[in-house]
Amino acid sequence: FMTRVSVAVRGYMFYLYKMVIPAKLAPIYIYPEHIIFVSLEYMGSFILFAGISLFALLVSRKYKIFLAVWAYYVITLLPVIGIVQVGAQSAADRYTYLPSVGPFMLAGVGIAYLMQRSDASNVMRKMLAPVVVSALGIVLTIFSYQTLRQQAFWKDSLTLWNYELREFPRAYPAYHDRGVIYMYLHEYTMALDDLNKAIEINPNASFLSFYTRGMVYHMKGEDLLAVKDFRVAAAIDPKSSKLHNDMGISYGNLGQYEEALKEFNRAVELDSKFGEAYNNRGYTFLKMGKYDRAIEDLGKALELEPGNASVLNSLGSAYSKTGDAKQAEFYFEKASKAGMEGSVKPDTAKDKYNAI
């Protein structure tokens, strides 16, 4: 709890700093691995937080605006400041959209107050106006440049995560997400390098990294290694129906049909409307020669995913094995039509990359 409080107090100062100097903005500010409470970063944040709070209280009788703005800033950030931690980030730029209104309004009021304190004929006012306008012009120019520069990093997913890792080389979610990109581009060696790095940095909570690495091994045709990673991922989070379905597919590819059935059973237990898992279990029954069970599961899959060409084709095969030529022909024809209707799909690496 004290760690979260420390990170939260640091966050309040972090956001104020970024409002004034928005340099090194990042998609993910990774949660710190080690926190030294007596360091300048954390102890200094406590001192500043306490100092601002005390100042706002002391002057509140005469100038209520300071307390109002500070309270607004603290309260609007409170739900996302990290006392209740969600995700791997310690902060996020988007969290300041509403809280920043207060400090910027205070700055505007301060400038207006200084301007009003001077008479129109006052030399100070004549000097102050161009200084303020010039300063605002410089700030707007710098921020406009920074905005254009920052936009370029969001060109596409690969550019974004390359930028993140250049600035923050310990950001393990970025290694995972870049690994996903490489997986879709069929750059399996590079995908594995990134996923290995994500697991190396954060071995205790990398469900997604183990799961994704298992998928990469599966796509490479190395299902034995895929199953090994899927099992580790299942130990971290046993309630992912998709994981159990994919693990069942790998077991099926290895010819271990009983193990495959266990995983498909678990997948439909977790999600009774998971059409793909019913389809895969039905196909496994078909491979095992249990045609009635196959027809039952494939029928359920078709009910959940009407017009699925793969399910229709498997149903045709199952009925063919039972000797029901009429039903087999019916489903094969439907599968052929469904396949033709759904034949226009993004199948190049470029199309898949753009679809991410």
Side-chain angles (χ1 to χ4, degrees):
F1 178 74
M2 283 308 299
T3 297
R4 291 186 182 189
V5 169
S6 299
V7 172
V9 172
R10 173 192 170 274
Y12 279 112
M13 298 302 105
F14 171 86
Y15 288 128
L16 283 178
Y17 172 78
K18 290 291 184 182
M19 285 179 205
V20 179
I21 306 174
K24 286 189 75 171
L25 301 178
I28 295 176
Y29 299 102
I30 200 69
Y31 204 86
E33 296 176 62
H34 307 289
I35 294 173
I36 302 172
F37 296 105
V38 294
S39 66
L40 179 63
E41 183 178 13
Y42 290 95
M43 188 59 70
S45 295
F46 269 104
I47 293 168
L48 278 172
F49 186 91
I52 295 170
S53 301
L54 184 61
F55 170 79
L57 284 168
L58 289 175
V59 302
S60 61
R61 285 192 177 184
K62 191 173 182 182
Y63 302 109
K64 291 183 172 62
I65 189 171
F66 291 104
L67 183 59
V69 166
W70 183 241
Y72 171 83
Y73 175 73
V74 170
I75 292 168
T76 51
L77 265 175
L78 192 60
V80 293
I81 202 63
I83 300 296
V84 178
Q85 182 61 25
V86 178
Q89 76 282 350
S90 64
D93 296 332
R94 64 187 180 278
Y95 292 164
T96 60
Y97 292 159
L98 287 176
S100 66
V101 171
F104 288 139
M105 184 175 70
L106 182 61
V109 169
I111 292 170
Y113 177 76
L114 288 174
M115 298 294 287
Q116 287 175 353
R117 290 280 292 178
S118 304
D119 294 325
S121 59
N122 195 299
V123 175
M124 182 61 72
R125 182 180 181 113
K126 290 179 180 178
M127 291 175 61
L128 188 61
V131 169
V132 170
V133 171
S134 298
L136 287 174
I138 291 169
V139 169
L140 284 172
T141 301
I142 293 171
F143 282 7
S144 297
Y145 168 75
Q146 283 292 91
T147 298
L148 292 171
R149 182 172 174 271
Q150 194 71 20
Q151 282 179 331
F153 299 134
W154 292 80
K155 174 187 173 184
D156 54 50
S157 300
L158 194 57
T159 305
L160 183 71
W161 299 127
N162 284 340
Y163 162 71
E164 168 78 20
L165 291 168
R166 188 166 65 248
E167 298 292 336
F168 302 94
R170 299 284 294 174
Y172 62 89
Y175 280 110
H176 169 267
D177 290 352
R178 192 171 69 176
V180 172
I181 303 303
Y182 285 135
M183 179 179 74
Y184 277 99
L185 290 169
H186 306 291
E187 298 284 357
Y188 299 131
T189 301
M190 296 173 79
L192 289 173
D193 286 344
D194 273 353
L195 294 166
N196 289 339
K197 187 68 176 177
I199 291 167
E200 177 193 325
I201 296 171
N202 186 38
N204 298 320
S206 297
F207 163 79
L208 281 176
S209 295
F210 282 110
Y211 182 13
T212 307
R213 191 172 71 175
M215 287 302 298
V216 174
Y217 282 130
H218 166 69
M219 291 170 79
K220 285 184 71 180
E222 298 177 19
D223 284 292
L224 202 57
L225 290 172
V227 165
K228 185 178 176 182
D229 271 349
F230 287 149
R231 287 224 161 275
V232 176
I236 297 169
D237 180 6
K239 294 186 177 181
S240 169
S241 58
K242 193 171 187 310
L243 166 63
H244 288 287
N245 178 66
D246 291 330
M247 184 154 41
I249 294 170
S250 283
Y251 272 125
N253 288 343
L254 292 168
Q256 299 180 33
Y257 298 130
E258 292 296 340
E259 291 298 321
L261 286 178
K262 287 179 187 177
E263 299 306 324
F264 295 136
N265 289 342
R266 182 63 180 145
V268 297
E269 256 177 50
L270 291 165
D271 183 359
S272 61
K273 295 186 177 181
F274 194 176
E276 186 184 340
Y278 282 107
N279 179 27
N280 290 329
R281 191 170 69 176
Y283 183 74
T284 303
F285 280 131
L286 180 60
K287 296 281 282 185
M288 295 171 74
K290 298 180 179 181
Y291 305 126
D292 290 339
R293 296 291 303 276
I295 289 169
E296 182 183 341
D297 268 352
L298 292 167
K300 179 67 175 177
L302 190 61
E303 181 185 318
L304 293 167
E305 298 181 2
N308 185 311
S310 173
V311 177
L312 290 164
N313 191 64
S314 294
L315 269 169
S317 297
Y319 277 112
S320 176
K321 294 291 185 180
T322 63
D324 191 337
K326 187 176 180 181
Q327 282 288 80
E329 185 180 355
F330 171 77
Y331 283 110
F332 282 139
E333 281 182 8
K334 289 195 74 172
S336 179
K337 287 180 182 177
M340 288 175 66
E341 288 170 2
S343 62
V344 182
K345 296 178 180 178
D347 56 0
T348 65
K350 184 172 182 290
D351 287 334
K352 288 179 180 177
Y353 177 60
N354 290 334
I356 292 167

